[in-house]
Amino acid sequence: MRANLLAFAAGSLLTSGAWLVGQSLGSTKTVLPALEVESRAHRLDDVVNRSEEETAIRTSSSAFVRKCGASEFSAEIGHGGPRSRVQIAPGNEPVIDCILSIAPKEGFPLFISFKAD
């Protein structure tokens, strides 16, 4: 039984290693870091005496990154809901600084991600 487990573990290690080597040799895509801002959950002050459209704008990650001055970003539906991706790149420092300083105060979840271009 123990020999079978060792053989299985060795096979798994060899397969994983071969896959990693293949990925590193065959990958020509640039991997770019991005700051992801997830749309926040609705709070009571978001919905009291506001229309659905106003509530959607107040909780939208896209509206938030625009407020921080982002002129280029992408929006997508992630596993937790809508989110906006802003490139972490030279020249984008004011936008990134704004997002990092204001998002936690306003309840927007943040993530760092890497995506092949």
Side-chain angles (χ1 to χ4, degrees):
M1 175 82 167
R2 189 174 187 177
N4 287 344
L5 289 176
L6 288 175
F8 177 75
S12 296
L13 181 64
L14 183 63
T15 303
S16 298
W19 181 82
L20 286 172
V21 169
Q23 289 295 313
S24 65
L25 294 177
S27 179
T28 58
K29 295 181 178 180
T30 305
V31 178
L32 303 171
L35 180 60
E36 290 188 357
V37 181
E38 192 170 284
S39 292
R40 73 172 190 220
H42 292 195
R43 299 182 300 204
L44 184 59
D45 63 325
D46 289 326
V47 295
V48 173
N49 296 325
R50 293 192 180 7
S51 70
E52 285 185 32
E53 184 177 328
E54 287 174 314
T55 298
I57 290 170
R58 288 175 55 86
T59 59
S60 165
S61 61
S62 296
F64 176 73
V65 297
R66 278 191 208 101
K67 184 169 90 172
C68 279
S71 58
E72 291 185 26
F73 64 92
S74 62
E76 59 189 40
I77 301 295
H79 65 277
R83 60 178 53 184
S84 298
R85 296 171 48 87
V86 178
Q87 292 289 321
I88 299 174
N92 224 7
E93 293 91 351
V95 173
I96 300 298
D97 289 343
C98 174
I99 292 170
L100 290 174
S101 63
I102 297 175
K105 296 174 192 168
E106 294 195 12
F108 287 94
L110 298 175
F111 304 93
I112 301 291
S113 68
F114 295 87
K115 193 170 187 178
D117 192 27

